[in-house]
Amino acid sequence: MDTDIWPENTGASSPDPRKIVDYLTGELAALRDQIGTNPQLNPTALLAYKLSVRFEKGSMGINDFRQLARILTDRAFARRALHIRDYLGVAGDADAMNKLGQVADSWFDETEGDFDEFRSLVSRPRVGAVFTAHPTFGMSAEAALIMADIAATADEDQAIPMAEERLKGISHALADDITLGEEHARAQQAATRLKDALGLFNAALIERARKRWPDRWRELLPQPMSVAGWVGYDLDGRTDIGWQQMVGLKLAEKIEQLRRYRTRLSAIEADPNAADVTDDLGAAGALLDGALAHSERCHAMFAAELDTVSPVAEAANALSDPDADGRMINCRELVERLTTAIDRTVSDAVAESLMVLRAEVELIGLGTAHIHLRINAMQLQNGINQLIKLDDSESGAGRLQMSRLNRMIAEADLRTVNIRSLMLEQSTAIRQFILMAQILKHIDADTPIRFLIAECEHPFTVMTALYFARLFGIEDKIDISPLFETPAAIESGARILEQLLDNERYMAYANGRGRIAVQTGFSDAGRFLGQIPATLGIERLQVKLARMLGARGIEGIEIVIFDTHGESIGRGAHPKSLRDRLLYVMSPMARRQYARAGVALKHETSFQGGDGYLLFANDQLARHTAFTVLADALSIDDADADAMGRAHHVERDSLYDDTDFTLDFFLRLAHYHEGLFADHDYRVTLGSFGTNLLFKTGSRKSIRQHDTVNLADRGNPAQMRAIPHNAILQQLGYLANVVSGIGSAVGDEVDRFVSLCENSDRARRLFSMVAIAKQTSSLNTLGAYARIFDQGYWVSRAYGGAEPVLERPIRRLAKYLSDDPRHEAMMRLVHRLRQDAIDLHGVLGRLHVDGGKVPAATRLELDLLHALRIALIEHIFILAARIPPFANRHDVSPERISGMIMAMEIPDAVRILRDVFPSKINEPGDAMFIEEASYQSDVAGGYHDLHEKLFDPMLAAYDLVREIGIGVSHHFFAHG
């Protein structure tokens, strides 16, 4: 064995893979120590080369690589589980219940013994959780449950052994592409555990109220936190969810929640202490039994094939028949029955149980959670275009459009719709309004629906939604919420809302609903502005909204701000703690603005997909998550907090005092990222492999409009969704959208910037994330991937003479790469980012913050994962260079196949190659030919050797390339 890369074999038949891992990480550390005397040395690239040489010589095989990758991935898995433990403050189930008591006490103490004040405090949700999906399911459901279990039970010494033992025989990756149905099921599981945790919290509030106010406690209806989701109802960027599927999902959710209510009611009925309210509970149970039977019948009909009008009409009639047995479209009678039982029972314990059940019924309604429907602003524009009928000369005339739309709203005659209307409607936007009307009429009449508008940049878009809501008679039941996520929307969001408040039609709607809803999109803002500028820009928007509402003296209307995921180095959110995350997305300063303005605020955050749902993967984690959010809710000050003398003392924060400097810094940083994301080299780098290093992690597409073979187009952040954008940066080793630009934006004012950070809690929270992102980022890694495309590297490898067997294919590979733009583009980007990183390290050093310039052991393991994968990619490239020439077939050329392989489009390339070179030629059978032949074609038996020696190994290597990607994402605590 080569002792320059391998530990000495001490007599064992083969080295212990764990010792090899330790040796190789030590090798990386030793190589890094040499950079001081050899500044161009790239440890990751050099180690990848040495691994590649061993692989091609046969002294290492794919199974050796798989063993090493598995050890590294299991370790990263265990550390991610420990991160979740620390992120939530988990330390055993008893402590979760201790946290419950502490948080409930803090809510109870907040009102200083006044019952009416306490009832007011607990009866309005101040916070909310929204379960969203998208492609973040980066590991199998089984692996996710193991990770959650380790997070809930293991200490630091137990985590890695536990992970290795429990993961035996289990794949980290999803077995197949995840479907929308699987995403929905996981969202439902998360929502159920959150509701269970909320039930515990409500019980704790009720218990404290019973002891303090024995004569009035049964009046309480605690609703401290809302639960919502959009999985199955989000049409932004997708066309694969039809109306029938959404009706079916909503009915399935209704059935699940009705069963939940029935199970809990049955448990109360079984309590001997409930004997005095048997009749009331029996009547409530009968209501639920009838509703379940009716809903199950309707669901079965909508789940069937509705390919002709007749079964559609039959299903629609069953759903809409007002006289159908068991039809329940609201919970009023059920709540009345529960309330009567609460008032009549002499058992406090029974009353408490019924009050917890009643609270959930009132909060959730006839579904598993409140639903959010989302479409894109363009879809709304398309929906109104035919109705408003502007002349060509009027297109883009905003005031004329708005005037005409206002008149249409004022004159709108209510239109009735039915399921047939859903069938026939071609406009996506209008179809969604018809769908909401049907849900509110026939499935769940009282639970409001949130209508989210992605990429909203104009008040006209919101008013368009209001017009359709009024047209179909649902404006009193839906909350229209613009999503401010683009740079233009973030900058002008407050002005958009101000123009809406100037509109009497909108104000009438807002007063009727009692709330104004907006959504801010950290994810997409991050791919336009960069994560730190996006965070600062959204905070400025939140503050401007508060001040604008306060200046107008808005009364009786709460504002709901829904902050979506993506504000960090991945969907694991802020890397320190959940509490940090909540203060990160809505800062204490922004919260105070609403209290000072006298505006009631509700703050919602999303828990997204495979990573967000991990926090609810078992009861222990779900409780810690829920109780942390509920603790945070108390800092969402109500409108008269200052008047009641409960405003929290706040130290001054220099980020908000030195406004000239911070604004200049923000603008410079945003400008840097806008330039970076538009840069040709950045886009080529992102497009070098695209998302092909990753398994598919969700049911929604990664590219917004169309797939493309052009590298710069494929890597254009504007055409790429936020999650794959982040995921690609993770996989290439450098989180440029988080860490880059800071040094450039600080410029020559380092002293002033350091002073600002030392005197600003907000700045420290922002830049701790930058530091953590930098600790896991490596420009050497990005440079190592660039070298794969370097013609000079391959020529030098052939020229060295150490691999004579590979000389011909390597030279062929070098020739193919002679015109490839990736190496030069990627290295130009590396040099640009390194210039900025020099300044960043200087700033972090002045702040005494570790930026990872000297990698920790865990970063060395991450670097080793990259080195293994680079060696595998080089192996795939070498295999590609051995493919025999062939004539163009079916518009497929050898050059096209090579291009696909160099972009890691391996499954498609191998599928084509197997058609071009079949493993077995079709024999003519047993037919007899009179004429004899002595010649036998060399390929008459097929190209079996090519399949065995090239195509199959290429697929095996590619599968491991993607499996390593999961290990890489574990180091970032999230996928994208």
Side-chain angles (χ1 to χ4, degrees):
M1 293 192 174
D2 300 338
T3 56
D4 66 325
I5 187 172
W6 221 252
E8 290 287 351
N9 189 347
T10 57
S13 58
S14 61
D16 182 345
R18 289 176 178 78
K19 290 183 178 179
I20 296 173
V21 167
D22 295 341
Y23 182 84
L24 292 176
T25 53
E27 179 86 354
L28 277 170
L31 289 171
R32 285 198 62 86
D33 291 341
Q34 300 174 32
I35 291 177
T37 56
N38 183 6
Q40 288 193 314
L41 175 66
N42 186 324
T44 305
L46 180 55
L47 185 60
Y49 162 69
K50 292 183 176 184
L51 288 165
S52 174
V53 169
R54 289 190 62 82
F55 197 102
E56 301 308 328
K57 284 183 177 179
S59 54
M60 286 186 74
I62 190 72
N63 287 332
D64 298 310
F65 270 54
R66 186 172 287 111
Q67 274 188 316
L68 299 180
R70 183 62 187 234
I71 290 168
L72 291 164
T73 299
D74 285 353
R75 289 181 182 180
F77 178 97
R79 293 190 186 102
R80 183 174 173 186
L82 290 174
H83 166 73
I84 295 171
R85 180 198 65 174
D86 296 339
Y87 183 77
L88 296 177
V90 176
D93 190 66
D95 284 345
M97 301 311 290
N98 286 342
K99 183 183 288 186
L100 166 63
Q102 293 164 7
V103 177
D105 284 342
S106 65
W107 275 68
F108 186 78
D109 295 341
E110 185 78 3
T111 52
E112 300 177 351
D114 183 278
F115 177 80
D116 290 324
E117 193 177 315
F118 181 73
R119 181 170 60 180
S120 175
L121 176 70
V122 303
S123 63
R124 178 180 74 86
R126 295 164 180 273
V127 289
V130 184
F131 293 102
T132 62
H134 297 342
T136 60
F137 295 88
M139 59 178 149
S140 67
E142 193 172 4
L145 290 176
I146 293 171
M147 180 177 286
D149 192 33
I150 293 173
T153 62
D155 61 27
E156 194 154 344
D157 294 331
Q158 297 170 326
I160 290 177
M162 189 182 295
E164 291 176 341
E165 178 62 30
R166 295 192 58 184
L167 288 168
K168 285 180 180 177
I170 293 173
S171 173
H172 283 270
L174 292 165
D176 300 298
D177 291 343
I178 191 167
T179 65
L180 178 66
E182 291 169 314
E183 290 175 339
H184 183 263
R186 292 207 204 176
Q188 296 302 297
Q189 291 166 2
T192 295
R193 289 198 175 96
L194 174 56
K195 288 180 292 188
D196 289 344
L198 284 175
L200 291 174
F201 185 73
N202 286 338
L205 293 177
I206 292 168
E207 179 187 18
R208 283 157 176 75
R210 176 178 58 79
K211 294 176 179 177
R212 177 64 178 82
W213 301 289
D215 296 329
R216 299 192 63 188
W217 65 279
R218 297 192 189 198
E219 299 174 27
L220 283 182
L221 183 64
Q223 303 208 329
M225 180 180 181
S226 62
V227 185
W230 75 32
V231 185
Y233 305 97
D234 174 19
L235 294 188
D236 178 32
R238 64 190 305 166
T239 58
D240 59 325
I241 307 175
W243 67 265
Q244 180 186 348
Q245 195 169 4
M246 284 184 274
V247 170
L249 278 180
K250 182 59 184 172
L251 284 167
E253 291 169 8
K254 182 175 182 177
I255 291 166
E256 182 177 337
Q257 192 67 16
L258 287 170
R259 286 175 180 164
R260 178 179 170 87
Y261 294 152
R262 190 64 180 97
T263 298
R264 294 175 65 189
L265 183 65
S266 296
I268 298 170
E269 285 182 289
D271 187 341
N273 295 315
D276 56 349
V277 287
T278 298
D279 291 344
D280 297 309
L281 299 185
L287 283 173
L288 290 171
D289 292 337
L292 260 172
H294 177 261
S295 299
E296 287 168 346
R297 286 195 302 272
C298 292
H299 178 260
M301 298 175 80
F302 277 96
E305 290 291 334
L306 302 183
D307 49 0
T308 62
V309 174
S310 184
V312 174
E314 187 178 354
N317 292 338
L319 183 66
S320 60
D321 181 1
D323 299 321
D325 290 341
R327 186 172 186 262
M328 178 191 287
I329 61 170
N330 62 58
C331 298
R332 295 170 201 163
E333 188 175 354
L334 175 61
V335 169
E336 289 173 2
R337 295 287 186 182
L338 295 176
T339 301
T340 300
I342 290 167
D343 293 339
R344 287 179 178 174
T345 184
V346 297
S347 169
D348 287 348
V350 170
E352 286 184 27
S353 297
L354 287 169
M355 289 171 71
V356 172
L357 175 57
R358 180 181 64 177
E360 183 171 321
V361 172
E362 285 276 29
L363 176 70
I364 302 299
L366 295 175
T368 51
H370 295 187
I371 60 172
H372 288 191
L373 273 67
R374 189 169 77 145
I375 66 172
N376 193 277
M378 184 59 69
Q379 292 169 311
L380 266 175
Q381 184 66 47
N382 292 338
I384 199 68
N385 279 346
Q386 294 302 312
L387 299 176
I388 204 164
K389 298 187 183 302
L390 286 178
D391 297 332
D392 291 341
S393 61
E394 297 173 335
S395 61
R399 290 185 180 179
L400 181 58
Q401 280 186 313
M402 188 65 83
S403 175
R404 193 168 296 182
L405 184 57
N406 280 331
R407 189 165 62 251
M408 290 170 61
I409 294 172
E411 298 172 355
D413 292 327
L414 178 65
R415 305 289 181 88
T416 58
V417 289
N418 58 15
I419 295 295
R420 182 176 182 275
S421 309
L422 272 177
M423 288 181 63
L424 299 178
E425 182 56 53
Q426 297 300 304
S427 164
T428 299
I430 297 174
R431 188 166 60 243
Q432 290 301 84
F433 283 93
I434 298 173
L435 173 68
M436 288 188 286
Q438 292 301 99
I439 288 173
L440 289 165
K441 279 195 298 182
H442 305 307
I443 301 176
D444 188 356
D446 287 346
T447 306
I449 297 173
R450 188 79 53 83
F451 185 75
L452 303 169
I453 308 171
E455 298 185 352
C456 184
E457 297 183 352
H458 197 282
F460 181 83
T461 309
V462 178
M463 296 304 294
T464 297
L466 180 55
Y467 167 71
F468 288 126
R470 186 174 177 83
L471 189 67
F472 299 120
I474 57 175
E475 64 179 307
D476 61 332
K477 292 290 175 61
I478 71 168
D479 293 315
I480 300 168
S481 176
L483 167 52
F484 300 132
E485 57 187 337
T486 64
I490 290 172
E491 180 61 31
S492 61
R495 178 60 184 152
I496 291 172
L497 189 55
E498 187 173 31
Q499 290 175 300
L500 288 170
L501 296 179
D502 286 336
N503 188 306
E504 63 175 314
R505 304 296 172 194
Y506 181 83
M507 277 307 302
Y509 158 74
N511 282 316
R513 287 294 305 136
R515 70 175 59 95
I516 295 168
V518 299
Q519 180 187 358
T520 61
F522 283 85
S523 297
D524 285 307
R527 70 186 168 92
F528 291 121
L529 289 171
Q531 294 292 4
I532 300 301
T535 299
L536 290 170
I538 289 171
E539 183 182 24
R540 289 177 66 225
L541 171 61
Q542 292 168 344
V543 169
K544 286 193 288 186
L545 289 176
R547 290 173 177 170
M548 184 266 293
L549 291 169
R552 288 172 170 265
I554 299 292
E555 294 182 357
I557 297 177
E558 73 171 354
I559 184 164
V560 180
I561 296 181
F562 169 30
D563 289 320
T564 53
H565 237 315
E567 71 288 348
S568 182
I569 61 175
R571 263 49 187 184
H574 195 281
K576 281 195 167 183
S577 69
L578 178 56
R579 173 64 174 158
D580 272 294
R581 189 250 169 149
L582 296 168
L583 293 174
Y584 186 94
V585 295
M586 176 162 276
S587 68
M589 197 277 283
R591 299 173 189 218
R592 289 194 299 273
Q593 299 303 313
Y594 290 91
R596 291 173 181 171
V599 176
L601 170 66
K602 181 188 178 191
H603 184 223
E604 298 177 344
T605 51
S606 68
F607 294 90
Q608 185 162 319
D611 297 328
Y613 300 171
L614 268 173
L615 304 185
F616 300 88
N618 59 39
D619 289 339
Q620 166 78 326
L621 299 187
R623 291 169 185 174
H624 277 282
T625 302
F627 303 155
T628 300
V629 176
L630 287 162
D632 177 74
L634 288 181
S635 64
I636 308 293
D637 289 328
D638 55 295
D640 52 316
D642 287 333
M644 290 190 291
R646 292 190 284 102
H648 302 288
H649 172 70
V650 180
E651 296 181 1
R652 297 193 67 83
D653 191 310
S654 59
L655 186 73
Y656 308 112
D657 292 340
D658 195 354
T659 53
D660 290 341
F661 177 67
T662 54
L663 181 59
D664 286 345
F665 172 78
F666 164 77
L667 293 174
R668 287 195 298 267
L669 187 55
H671 179 72
Y672 178 95
H673 280 283
E674 287 170 353
L676 177 67
F677 298 157
D679 183 74
H680 176 267
D681 295 337
Y682 183 81
R683 294 182 175 188
V684 169
T685 298
L686 285 185
S688 58
F689 296 119
T691 57
N692 295 322
L693 299 182
L694 299 160
F695 289 99
K696 187 179 178 184
T697 58
S699 64
R700 191 176 78 161
K701 287 187 176 181
S702 298
I703 301 293
R704 280 193 170 266
Q705 292 183 352
H706 55 273
D707 293 326
T708 176
V709 297
N710 183 284
L711 293 173
D713 288 345
R714 186 166 61 194
N716 181 355
Q719 297 299 326
M720 183 182 295
R721 297 197 177 278
I723 295 165
H725 177 238
N726 290 356
I728 291 169
L729 292 175
Q730 290 176 355
Q731 296 300 316
L732 294 179
Y734 199 79
L735 299 176
N737 63 339
V738 179
V739 303
S740 66
I742 305 293
S744 300
V746 172
D748 296 330
E749 298 188 90
V750 178
D751 291 340
R752 190 172 179 182
F753 183 78
V754 169
S755 176
L756 181 147
C757 290
E758 289 175 341
N759 295 284
S760 169
D761 178 75
R762 179 62 169 164
R764 287 193 298 271
R765 198 177 304 282
L766 291 170
F767 294 106
S768 66
M769 188 178 76
V770 173
I772 292 171
K774 187 65 185 72
Q775 290 165 19
T776 51
S777 295
S778 169
L779 285 168
N780 279 332
T781 297
L782 182 55
Y785 281 105
R787 196 188 63 169
I788 297 172
F789 303 105
D790 180 13
Q791 178 193 28
Y793 162 67
W794 293 104
V795 170
S796 298
R797 188 163 169 176
Y799 184 76
E803 301 171 284
V805 175
L806 296 181
E807 181 179 324
R808 289 186 65 185
I810 285 178
R811 291 180 66 184
R812 183 180 174 193
L813 179 58
K815 184 177 181 181
Y816 181 82
L817 290 170
S818 61
D819 297 323
D820 196 291
R822 281 173 281 195
H823 174 254
E824 290 187 6
M826 293 172 76
M827 288 310 300
R828 281 194 301 267
L829 178 64
V830 168
H831 300 325
R832 174 180 177 178
L833 294 174
R834 185 160 278 143
Q835 287 273 22
D836 178 72
I838 293 170
D839 295 328
L840 174 61
H841 280 297
V843 171
L844 293 175
R846 288 283 303 277
L847 291 169
H848 306 291
V849 174
D850 177 20
K853 193 167 186 179
V854 178
T858 53
R859 232 294 298 284
L860 292 173
E861 291 190 1
L862 173 59
D863 292 347
L864 179 53
L865 274 172
H866 285 295
L868 287 166
R869 182 164 60 178
I870 290 168
L872 286 168
I873 294 173
E874 291 187 2
H875 177 62
I876 291 171
F877 279 28
I878 291 169
L879 291 176
R882 287 174 161 165
I883 296 170
F886 61 89
N888 292 4
R889 302 186 187 188
H890 310 296
D891 297 325
V892 176
S893 66
E895 292 75 21
R896 172 61 180 145
I897 293 296
S898 296
M900 293 172 69
I901 293 173
M902 303 304 164
M904 288 290 101
E905 297 172 11
I906 305 302
D908 289 340
V910 168
R911 186 165 54 251
I912 295 170
L913 286 169
R914 283 176 169 162
D915 287 340
V916 173
F917 299 103
S919 63
K920 186 176 181 180
I921 304 298
N922 290 331
E923 294 286 345
D926 296 329
M928 299 297 295
F929 292 85
I930 296 174
E931 184 179 10
E932 295 182 358
S934 60
Y935 169 76
Q936 180 68 36
S937 170
D938 290 339
V939 297
Y943 297 94
H944 179 74
D945 282 354
L946 291 181
H947 287 250
E948 186 177 273
K949 296 178 180 179
L950 296 183
F951 307 156
D952 294 344
M954 192 178 289
L955 275 177
Y958 178 64
D959 285 343
L960 185 51
V961 161
R962 293 194 295 172
E963 288 172 18
I964 288 173
I966 298 173
V968 170
S969 68
H970 286 331
H971 279 271
F972 295 97
F973 308 138
H975 173 91

